[in-house]
Amino acid sequence: MYKALLVQPDHYSAAETRLMFHWEQHGFMLQADADSLVDAQANIRTQPVDLILIDLKHSQASGMLLCERIREHSRVPIILLGGRHDFQLLREAMAFQVSDYIADPVQPEDLASSLRKVKKELDVQSVHSHRLILNHENKKSQKPSNIDLVKQYVQEQLNQNITLKKISSLLHFNCAYLGQKFKDQENMSFNEYLLQQRMEKAKILLERTDMRIYEIANEVGYTEIDWFYKKFKEYTGASANEYRKQSSVNAQYEMSFWKALAVAKK
């Protein structure tokens, strides 16, 4: 059951919204009400929710300001209720990537349809997030941090198209906020970290396997071989072919050294 917060200044209207239908049948529980911008922000800080419904009938400006504040740190789904059929308002709502905007009059069937859509998206995200947490907790007993989950996702999906935007969506975070958090903790940007992980794995595959270079490129997330060649040379200072040859020479030299040492000890 997902938790929802209803932000509606008018207590009578809030009661009407609550009684529109059985929310639990649509997968949501109205955890709390908020009757002001300050109250809503306090609720969000103290009681994490999966969906926020904001009534715009009394103040569209306050409602959009709350959207802006939420998007500074979270990707939680937002449904806007009421308000006018206003093109400018719709543009603002799209900019804040709200899940839906239902203008007056708000009909139960419209809201129910919107809830089903959000629930479907949350279900998909929940599966991915839950899998990340379970995999991490199999290795460590303590609860993983969000940055740990980001790094785990990179390791598990290294051969896929990885973007911080996609990870942010899975973890319900604003992309810019998560990117800054990552840089603060790791002392490098997310893209720098992703490149590092791909190149280091490519080096290992070049050293220890006889995989073809295009196969290695695919294995570390590059579908265009020329782009892989370019990034690898920028990262190591040598082409992939040169790196493999040098690694082979070094390996043979090391083997000869240890054989000679073994003979000398006899």
Side-chain angles (χ1 to χ4, degrees), residues 142-160:
Q142 68 268 31
K143 184 178 179 180
S145 71
N146 290 313
I147 303 306
D148 289 333
L149 293 177
V150 171
K151 292 165 69 175
Q152 181 192 333
Y153 182 92
V154 168
Q155 296 304 319
E156 294 178 356
Q157 304 292 324
L158 201 57
N159 64 334
Q160 301 297 318

Side-chain angles (χ1 to χ4, degrees), residues 4 22 40 44 50 52 97 109-110 132 205 208 225 252:
H22 293 292
I44 293 166
D50 303 295
I52 300 174
Q97 297 183 313
E109 57 270 23
D110 294 334
L132 283 172
L205 294 175
R208 302 179 186 177
I225 186 67
Q252 291 174 6

Side-chain angles (χ1 to χ4, degrees), residues 21-266:
F21 39 63
H22 293 292
W23 289 74
E24 291 79 3
Q25 292 180 354
H26 300 289
F28 290 90
M29 176 180 66
L30 281 177
Q31 178 172 294
D33 292 344
D35 58 12
S36 69
L37 178 63
V38 173
D39 191 25
Q41 290 179 292
N43 269 283
I44 293 166
R45 284 195 297 269
T46 59
Q47 303 180 56
V49 294
D50 303 295
L51 169 66
I52 300 174
L53 301 105
I54 303 174
D55 179 24
L56 300 178
K57 281 184 288 189
H58 293 276
S59 176
Q60 292 185 171
S62 293
M64 300 315 294
L65 180 58
L66 179 57
C67 286
E68 182 178 359
R69 297 281 172 81
I70 292 168
R71 284 294 177 254
E72 287 174 357
H73 61 83
S74 175
R75 302 293 306 155
V76 64
I78 298 171
I79 295 177
L80 299 178
L81 303 174
R84 303 184 305 273
H85 290 272
D86 186 319
F87 179 71
Q88 182 58 35
L89 181 63
L90 181 59
R91 287 185 61 185
E92 286 186 59
M94 291 174 63
F96 292 127
Q97 297 183 313
V98 303
S99 298
D100 204 354
Y101 168 41
I102 306 174
D104 272 333
V106 178
Q107 300 296 330
E109 57 270 23
D110 294 334
L111 180 54
S113 175
S114 184
L115 291 175
R116 287 193 295 270
K117 177 183 174 184
V118 171
K119 182 181 181 298
K120 186 175 180 180
E121 294 171 354
L122 288 172
D123 287 342
V124 172
Q125 293 173 2
S126 179
V127 168
H128 287 288
S129 298
H130 188 58
R131 186 182 296 134
L132 283 172
I133 292 171
L134 280 178
N135 289 344
H136 193 97
E137 288 180 344
N138 285 335
K139 302 172 187 176
K140 297 182 179 181
S141 59
Q142 68 268 31
K143 184 178 179 180
S145 71
N146 290 313
I147 303 306
D148 289 333
L149 293 177
V150 171
K151 292 165 69 175
Q152 181 192 333
Y153 182 92
V154 168
Q155 296 304 319
E156 294 178 356
Q157 304 292 324
L158 201 57
N159 64 334
Q160 301 297 318
N161 178 32
I162 299 175
T163 66
L164 186 58
K165 183 177 181 181
K166 182 187 295 184
I167 300 174
S168 300
S169 179
L170 290 175
L171 297 178
H172 287 187
F173 274 96
N174 175 275
C175 186
Y177 172 82
L178 189 59
Q180 188 58 53
K181 281 288 187 184
F182 189 96
K183 189 170 185 178
D184 291 343
Q185 181 169 315
E186 300 298 318
N187 295 315
M188 66 175 74
S189 71
F190 171 78
N191 286 335
E192 289 171 336
Y193 174 79
L194 179 58
L195 176 66
Q196 178 194 72
Q197 297 306 303
R198 283 178 161 158
M199 293 299 104
E200 290 301 323
K201 183 171 183 179
K203 286 166 61 177
I204 291 172
L205 294 175
L206 286 166
E207 293 168 6
R208 302 179 186 177
T209 75
D210 58 0
M211 291 172 65
R212 296 185 178 184
I213 293 178
Y214 77 85
E215 293 175 325
I216 293 175
N218 286 332
E219 187 67 21
V220 297
Y222 288 90
T223 55
E224 296 182 14
I225 186 67
D226 289 343
W227 188 242
F228 170 75
Y229 276 124
K230 174 180 172 65
K231 302 306 289 186
F232 188 86
K233 187 163 187 178
E234 288 178 355
Y235 185 81
T236 64
S239 71
N241 285 314
E242 291 169 344
Y243 185 87
R244 170 168 270 172
K245 287 177 183 177
Q246 187 58 47
S247 297
S248 178
V249 169
N250 291 342
Q252 291 174 6
Y253 175 81
E254 186 176 348
M255 186 178 295
S256 298
F257 171 79
W258 288 111
K259 282 183 178 178
L261 186 61
V263 171
K265 286 183 176 181
K266 289 182 179 180

